[in-house]
Amino acid sequence: MNKKILVTGGTGYIGSHTVAELITDGFEVAIIDNLYNSEAVVADRIGQITGVRPELEVFDLCNEARLEDFFRKHNDISAIIHFAAYKAVGESVRKPLEYYRNNLLSLINLLEAMKRHDIASMVFSSSCTVYGQPEKLPVSEDAPLQPAKSPYGNTKKIGEDIIRDTCEADDKIKAISLRYFNPIGAHPTALIGELPRGVPENLVPFITQTAYGLRDELKVFGDDYDTPDGSCIRDYLHVVDLARAHIVALKRLLENKNKKNYEVFNLGTGTGVSVFEAIKSFERATGVKLKYRVTSRRPGDIEKIWADPSLANRELGWKTIYTLDDAMKSAWEWEKFIRKQNRS
Ligand code: WQD
């Protein structure tokens, strides 16, 4: 009997790639998504990729009654992978209360439902943003967490605290928080990928939209940082590598291989890449010349961060296999696919 996994936010960017990997790996999947930042058609496309369309229930996790109905109907959930959250840094600064309510109340509702329905395991989508600007690089999981630079980042930090304290108070609940560095790229089929609403905040969707002609030029936010070429450095990892890490983390919990009730892992390549290097990678991987101009720094940006992924490498047996060029190529193929869809 295949184990059934609840994936919240499963039509979103990381969620959809994780659902595709789960189904391919033999799990049954039910998705809860309020479609705030995604579309129901993504479930159909996961069906095209895997041959199995996941169940999708569209409602908001803040609606406790609807969530209780869901667990009464799906009384065979083995574990939860929790992606559903608002994630735009800039928007969170403009609408802090919406971010705290949505991201924290949905998590609390889920944890309380887990206790009511004897669901033991949660994999939580966290972020390297909890580190702020680390003192030491590469950054490892025991690095001191810095005060969050945005309400979004704070909801990830508080979310980790809520989960850690729940696991420590109740040994029937166990969890793993996965701290993502910068996920980029799209599924090799180009049927699913990042679907930013409006003007993209993140670098790679802005690059692909500029390459496609939707944006006049890419603005490089500053080349006066204390880095080799002056532009900011990040640890960009392919979204399929990231999705696969969720499968190994889930199995670690389901097979009781976790060493503590609450564990945290960095998910990154371990290599820092500057904005200019990312642009060069895109041009090399696609053959498309990118138009860009250096402008002033973006407020809130940290200068440089990249992961020490050795704990995940060792404990999860996980490491990234796709290259930066692979990720850029897949992002470009996805951009061309989605633009054709929007035209048809
Ligand atoms: C990367 C680099 C920009 C756009 C964010 C969230 C983080 C996580 C990943 C959710 C920076 C530069 C960007 C542009 C640019 N999201 N840039 N021109 O800020 O590292 O992280 O996404 O978990 O929480 O904060 O990613 O892609 O926005 O920026 O020069 O048009 O690209 O300055 O150096 P970031 P990003």
Side-chain angles (χ1 to χ4, degrees):
M1 172 62 182
N2 292 345
K3 286 194 181 303
K4 188 173 192 178
I5 310 300
L6 165 58
V7 179
T8 71
T11 54
Y13 176 37
I14 322 288
S16 57
H17 288 82
T18 302
V19 170
E21 295 300 320
L22 280 167
I23 294 172
T24 304
D25 202 86
F27 289 96
E28 212 185 317
V29 174
I31 295 172
I32 297 174
D33 205 305
N34 67 1
L35 303 184
Y36 175 81
N37 201 14
S38 61
E39 297 167 2
V41 70
V42 171
D44 302 328
R45 294 208 191 111
I46 293 170
Q48 279 177 267
I49 293 170
T50 63
V52 177
R53 184 189 184 281
E55 284 177 78
L56 167 61
E57 297 219 11
V58 179
F59 67 91
D60 195 315
L61 288 168
C62 293
N63 182 333
E64 212 172 343
R66 276 297 269 110
L67 188 58
E68 185 54 22
D69 291 345
F70 173 89
F71 282 113
R72 286 221 184 97
K73 181 178 155 199
H74 297 268
N75 55 14
D76 52 354
I77 299 283
S78 298
I80 298 175
I81 304 182
H82 180 41
F83 292 101
Y86 295 161
K87 55 149 256 178
V89 173
E91 185 184 51
S92 78
V93 174
R94 294 189 298 275
K95 304 176 179 174
L97 273 182
E98 282 185 42
Y99 269 67
Y100 286 115
R101 158 176 278 278
N102 182 68
N103 292 6
L104 299 180
L105 185 55
S106 53
L107 173 61
I108 291 166
N109 283 352
L110 268 179
L111 288 166
E112 289 178 335
M114 286 174 72
K115 290 163 82 84
R116 285 197 306 273
H117 295 274
D118 296 323
I119 298 168
S121 304
M122 173 187 275
V123 175
F124 177 63
S125 165
S126 189
S127 168
C128 65
T129 200
V130 301
Y131 295 116
Q133 176 56 68
E135 297 294 313
K136 193 169 139 314
L137 287 169
V139 61
S140 56
E141 289 82 353
D142 55 5
L145 303 190
Q146 313 268 355
K149 288 240 177 185
S150 69
Y152 160 74
N154 214 18
T155 66
K156 287 300 177 187
K157 198 163 163 300
I158 300 169
E160 286 194 11
D161 291 345
I162 291 171
I163 295 169
R164 187 201 54 236
D165 293 347
T166 303
C167 292
E168 280 170 7
D170 178 350
D171 59 8
K172 288 203 297 300
I173 303 264
K174 53 188 173 175
I176 289 176
S177 285
L178 298 176
R179 289 178 181 161
Y180 308 162
F181 282 68
N182 286 56
I184 61 169
H187 197 268
T189 59
L191 286 170
I192 53 176
E194 196 166 2
L195 257 178
R197 282 178 303 136
V199 179
E201 287 206 7
N202 292 139
L203 176 66
V204 173
F206 208 105
I207 285 179
T208 56
Q209 288 191 13
T210 303
Y212 197 83
L214 295 175
R215 310 284 165 202
D216 295 339
E217 60 182 4
L218 169 75
K219 293 182 183 63
V220 174
F221 297 142
D223 65 350
D224 56 352
Y225 286 96
D226 178 18
T227 61
D229 65 16
S231 65
C232 288
I233 293 176
R234 295 288 184 276
D235 184 333
Y236 298 99
L237 74 158
H238 196 295
V239 65
V240 173
D241 277 329
L242 181 61
R244 289 174 180 160
H246 291 74
I247 315 306
V248 284
L250 175 73
K251 288 180 175 177
R252 182 178 175 88
L253 293 174
L254 291 175
E255 295 160 11
N256 298 309
K257 292 198 174 117
N258 53 305
K259 292 187 173 151
K260 290 182 290 178
N261 245 25
Y262 178 63
E263 295 177 307
V264 176
F265 295 99
N266 283 344
L267 298 181
T269 66
T271 302
V273 167
S274 76
V275 177
F276 290 128
E277 287 169 332
I279 292 169
K280 286 194 193 76
S281 166
F282 176 82
E283 293 182 329
R284 186 174 53 237
T286 63
V288 176
K289 195 94 186 75
L290 196 75
K291 197 161 170 297
Y292 64 88
R293 180 167 57 90
V294 177
T295 62
S296 53
R297 295 181 175 193
R298 177 171 68 175
D301 269 342
I302 59 164
E303 181 170 77
K304 48 195 170 192
I305 186 168
W306 61 94
D308 169 357
S310 56
L311 189 65
N313 300 160
R314 191 174 62 248
E315 289 298 322
L316 299 180
W318 172 89
K319 67 182 180 60
T320 53
I321 52 172
Y322 286 101
T323 66
L324 180 67
D325 287 18
D326 293 333
M328 291 296 182
K329 177 79 177 146
S330 66
W332 178 231
E333 293 309 313
W334 161 249
E335 185 67 49
K336 290 185 285 184
F337 168 79
I338 205 68
R339 294 306 153 208
K340 270 195 220 91
Q341 293 296 311
N342 292 354
R343 267 208 306 273
S344 56

